[in-house]
Amino acid sequence: MKLWFAALFVLALAGMAAAAPEKAAPCLGCHGEAGESQTELIPSLGAQQPAYVLIQLYMFREKMRTSDIMNEMAKGLTDDDLHSLSDFIATLPKPSPPAGEGDPARMEAARALVEKNHCNSCHNADFSGRDNIPRLADQREDYLAKTLREYKSNKRAGYDGTMAEVLQPVTDQQIGELAYYLARVR
Amino acid sequence: MAKRFLAAGVAGLLAFSASAQQPVPPGSPLADRPPSEEAAKLAPISPPPLPTAADKLPAAKLHLPPGFAIEVYASGMANARSLRDGAKGTVFVGSRLVDKVYAITAGDHKVKVIASGLHRPNGVAFHDGTLYIAELSQISKIDDIEDHLDDPPKPTVIYDDLPKDEAHGWKFISVGPDNRLYIPVGQPGNNVARDPLHAQIRRINLDGSGAEVVAIGVRNTVGFDWSPVSHELYFTDNGRDWMSEDVPEDKLNRVTKLGEDFGVPYCYQGNISDPEFGWGHSCSDFTPPVALMGAHTATLGMRFYTGSMFPPQYKNAIFVARHGSWNRTQKLGGDVVVVKLNKDGTVKSVEPFLTGFIENNEYLGRPVDVQPLKDGSLLVSDDWNGAVYRITYKGKAK
C-alpha cells in the first residue's frame, strides 16, 4: 500500500516537471508541440540531452552557431533561461520513428558503417545520447544529413571539433546512408 | 532527479524481463553494440559553456608538494585555456569552446572580455606591448593592449594562410627567442595521412610574413616553450586515440634542427609503428621524444620555470599541464607535472606536481596551461571550471 502511494507521488512529480516555461512557447511553434518537428530541416527536440541543448542555445545566443531565426530567438536569453529551456526541452516526449522499418539490406550496410565510425559509442548503442552528445534516435532524416554534411565541410563548427574529426573519412554518399539508418533504427 | 531514478527503474525492469525471456532479437539496439562494450563507454568530454561559480571551485581539494599553496587567482572565464602574462601585470586568457579572449587585470584580478566573436581563440602571445591571438585559421594582434583594456580595438589580422579544419585546428601560439611567432597546424583527424599543409609547427615574422616550417610529423601540439639554457624548442604532442588503453603515450619533444620529422602518422611515441600508416616506414627514421607523458593524457601547455620563488630544484625545469584522458577507462592526467632536465637537455624525471583534479574517476577540473609570473608564482588554467589558480611557495611545511 505504501509502495503504491510512493509510486503515485513520483508519477505526479514527473508530470509536473513538464510545465513549460513561458519562453518555450515560440520554440514549439516550429519544432513541434510534442517533441516532433513536422517541418523540413527543422530538428525534433523531444527527449534531447539537456547539456547538449544548453550548449546549442548558448552558441545561438553568442552567434557561434549561425541561423538567422535561432540567433534572433536566443538573443535576449539569460543564463538562467538557457538552463530552464534546456531542462524543459529534455522533458518533451520522444519523437515517433518513421512508419517503415527501412530496406533491410540498406539498414544492414549502414549499421556496419555506424559501427566502423563509432557513432554508437559516443551517442550510445540506442542513440539516446549522453551529456553534451545529442540524441539522434528518431530524428528527421533530412536534418541528420544536412548536419553531417555541415560538420564535414566545417560549415557548422560544433562546440568542440569531434564531429568534424570523425567525419573526415566519411564520404557524402555514406552520409546519406548514415542519416537513413539513424532516422529509422529501433 | 526523482524522475530520472524512476526511468532507470523502469528501464531496469524491462531489461530484466527481456533477458529472462529470450536472447536479444535481431535489430534490437542491444545487438548493435561495437565489439567492446567497455570501449563504447568512452567519449570526448566537453565542459558547459558557463563557468563555475567562485565558491564552487575545487581549489581546496588540490594537492601540491610540501611548502606550496594554491589559491583562486580569477574565475568566471568560460572555458579558460592558454595563459600569457603582459609587461604590466595583466594576464591574458584564450578560450576554445567559446569565442572570447579575457584579460585579468593586475592588482585586483578583475576579468574583462577584450575580444569576442572570435573562432576558437585558443592561443595568446605577448611581445613588446602587443597581444597576438591565434584563432582556428588566422593570427591577429592588438597593439598596446595593456593601455586599452577598457576600450580594446578589434584585433588586426596579420596571417591567415592556414587550413580551416575544425579537428585539431585550435592553436597555441608563442614568440620565440628569434622574435618570430610559432604556430602549430594539427592533423585534421585522429589518425589521417600526412599532407604538406598539416602535422607541423610553422613560424612567421611578427608582421605575418616569411612563413617557414620548423617541425613536421606533429599530430597536435597545444604547448611549447624554449629552453632558457640551450634556447632549443620543446613541445608537447598528443598521441592518437583508439589504438589501445595504454598506448600510444603523449610526448615531450625537442627540436634540434629546422624541419625535423617527429613521425606522425607513421610512428607514435617514438617506437610504435602505426598499424594503418606505418607500413614502409621505420620509427628509427624519425626523432624520438625526450619523454613519454602517459597514454591519452592530453598533455597541453608547458613553460620553463626561471623564477626564484620555488626551491632550486625547479630552476629551468618544465611545468606541463595534462588536461586528462577521455579515451581510457581509468582517467589519467588531469594534473600538472614537473619535468626536470639533465645538463644536456635530456629528461631526468617526470614528477607529479599539482594533483587532485580527478575524484572517483570524474573530473573536478582540467588543467590546460601554466604561466609563471614575474614574482615566481605559477598560474594554472582550468577550462572545465573557467578559472585560473595561482601556486606559491611558502617554505617548508612543519
Side-chain angles (χ1 to χ4, degrees):
Chain A
M1 190 63 181
K2 259 186 183 169
L3 260 178
W4 267 111
F5 205 74
L8 273 176
F9 182 68
V10 169
L11 283 173
L13 270 182
M16 275 157 57
E22 203 181 313
K23 290 184 179 173
C27 313
L28 305 182
C30 296
H31 290 279
E33 292 290 337
E36 186 174 333
S37 157
Q38 308 294 337
T39 313
E40 202 180 334
L41 298 177
I42 292 184
S44 298
L45 300 181
Q48 192 48 276
Q49 293 292 334
Y52 169 79
V53 178
L54 184 133
I55 289 168
Q56 299 310 311
L57 287 172
Y58 175 88
M59 291 179 76
F60 282 129
R61 186 182 76 180
E62 307 292 318
K63 296 197 171 72
M64 294 166 62
R65 182 177 169 190
T66 47
S67 151
D68 289 344
I69 294 175
M70 284 307 299
N71 295 144
E72 190 59 30
M73 301 299 266
K75 202 162 68 180
L77 299 177
T78 64
D79 289 356
D80 286 344
D81 290 337
L82 300 188
H83 279 294
S84 65
L85 284 171
S86 47
D87 287 349
F88 164 70
I89 282 167
T91 67
L92 291 172
K94 289 176 190 173
S96 50
E101 289 189 356
D103 173 59
R106 216 176 148 184
M107 289 295 279
E108 184 55 32
R111 190 175 68 89
L113 202 56
V114 159
E115 289 189 6
K116 179 168 172 251
N117 290 291
H118 298 287
C119 312
N120 52 348
S121 178
C122 295
H123 291 276
N124 281 2
D126 62 357
F127 303 100
S128 56
R130 64 173 101 159
D131 301 323
N132 58 299
I133 298 161
R135 173 189 174 86
L136 304 178
D138 313 318
Q139 187 51 269
R140 292 182 62 92
E141 183 180 351
D142 57 0
Y143 177 76
L144 288 168
K146 168 179 178 267
T147 305
L148 288 167
R149 291 198 170 98
E150 288 183 353
Y151 276 135
K152 182 173 163 80
S153 70
N154 299 309
K155 184 182 173 198
R156 176 170 165 185
Y159 186 51
D160 60 22
T162 305
M163 284 306 298
E165 176 174 329
V166 299
L167 283 166
Q168 284 320 300
V170 179
T171 66
D172 193 68
Q173 185 267 337
Q174 288 173 330
I175 284 178
E177 296 310 295
L178 288 174
Y180 180 87
Y181 177 85
L182 292 169
R184 285 170 181 78
V185 66
R186 308 278 156 92
Chain B
M1 209 54 185
K3 205 181 154 210
R4 188 172 295 178
F5 279 124
L6 181 73
V10 170
L13 268 176
L14 288 177
F16 178 76
S17 55
S19 62
Q21 283 166 9
Q22 58 187 46
V24 174
S28 151
L30 292 177
D32 293 340
R33 294 216 174 143
S36 164
E37 289 187 21
E38 291 303 318
K41 291 176 185 166
L42 304 176
I45 305 157
S46 287
L50 307 174
T52 304
D55 60 350
K56 298 265 177 7
L57 292 170
K61 294 189 168 182
L62 304 178
H63 311 293
L64 285 158
F68 288 93
I70 188 164
E71 62 192 350
V72 175
Y73 187 77
S75 63
M77 297 159 284
N79 200 237
R81 296 273 299 183
S82 304
L83 297 170
R84 196 63 69 176
D85 64 332
K88 300 177 182 174
T90 315
V91 173
F92 300 98
V93 187
S95 68
R96 173 161 83 92
L97 303 178
V98 301
D99 59 346
K100 296 171 178 53
V101 174
Y102 310 93
I104 308 170
T105 59
D108 58 359
H109 304 175
K110 274 208 178 119
V111 172
K112 295 176 191 293
V113 173
I114 52 165
S116 60
L118 306 181
H119 190 49
R120 306 208 188 285
N122 182 77
V124 279
F126 185 89
H127 185 74
D128 279 348
T130 298
L131 175 71
Y132 296 88
I133 301 170
E135 291 179 74
L136 182 111
S137 63
Q138 63 183 22
I139 312 301
S140 57
K141 66 167 187 169
I142 305 177
D143 291 329
D144 299 319
I145 181 64
E146 287 185 289
D147 296 330
H148 296 283
L149 294 180
D150 288 314
D151 58 339
K154 282 226 172 285
T156 311
V157 175
I158 58 167
Y159 183 72
D160 62 1
D161 186 16
L162 288 162
K164 294 187 165 28
D165 306 284
E166 283 292 327
H168 306 151
W170 59 92
K171 291 175 168 43
F172 190 81
I173 187 169
S174 191
V175 178
D178 55 0
N179 290 340
R180 289 195 253 193
L181 286 161
Y182 284 66
I183 49 178
V185 185
Q187 280 283 67
N190 171 37
N191 192 39
V192 291
R194 192 190 284 188
D195 68 46
L197 294 178
H198 296 86
Q200 59 186 243
I201 300 175
R202 290 181 201 177
R203 64 182 174 192
I204 56 175
N205 296 321
L206 294 171
D207 62 0
S209 66
E212 183 175 35
V213 174
V214 174
I216 58 173
V218 181
R219 181 175 173 275
N220 182 29
T221 177
V222 196
F224 41 81
D225 198 14
W226 289 262
S227 162
V229 181
S230 70
H231 307 294
E232 287 168 335
L233 173 66
Y234 285 70
F235 68 94
T236 60
D237 195 15
N238 289 194
R240 58 164 288 192
D241 308 317
W242 297 119
M243 188 186 279
S244 86
E245 289 261 352
D246 295 325
V247 291
E249 295 196 40
D250 287 0
K251 301 189 290 184
L252 178 65
N253 290 314
R254 173 172 61 156
V255 182
T256 56
K257 59 176 189 287
L258 199 64
E260 205 162 358
D261 191 339
F262 291 86
V264 169
Y266 313 119
C267 175
Y268 285 93
Q269 73 163 46
N271 59 7
I272 297 179
S273 179
D274 184 72
E276 185 180 355
F277 293 102
W279 299 98
H281 301 270
S282 165
C283 277
S284 62
D285 298 340
F286 309 108
T287 305
V290 289
L292 295 179
M293 304 299 289
H296 309 299
T297 51
T299 300
L300 305 182
M302 55 164 279
R303 296 290 191 287
F304 282 87
Y305 183 81
T306 57
S308 48
M309 179 189 281
F310 293 2
Q313 67 263 33
Y314 294 97
K315 192 86 174 177
N316 298 335
I318 314 172
F319 286 102
V320 185
R322 302 195 302 176
H323 197 219
S325 62
W326 66 263
N327 193 216
R328 195 171 194 283
T329 299
Q330 202 62 39
K331 290 189 171 63
L332 193 64
D335 57 12
V336 174
V337 295
V338 58
V339 178
K340 294 175 181 168
L341 302 179
N342 297 309
K343 282 217 166 66
D344 63 359
T346 58
V347 169
K348 184 158 71 184
S349 65
V350 180
E351 301 165 21
F353 183 67
L354 174 65
T355 58
F357 283 106
I358 300 177
E359 190 177 74
N360 301 323
N361 209 28
E362 298 282 342
Y363 289 114
L364 302 178
R366 299 183 83 186
V368 176
D369 199 13
V370 292
Q371 174 65 57
L373 295 183
K374 289 168 189 68
D375 66 0
S377 62
L378 182 75
L379 299 184
V380 178
S381 63
D382 169 3
D383 67 349
W384 188 260
N385 294 301
V388 172
Y389 312 94
R390 176 171 174 253
I391 298 170
T392 52
Y393 185 70
K394 310 259 189 209
K396 281 267 176 269
K398 292 187 185 101

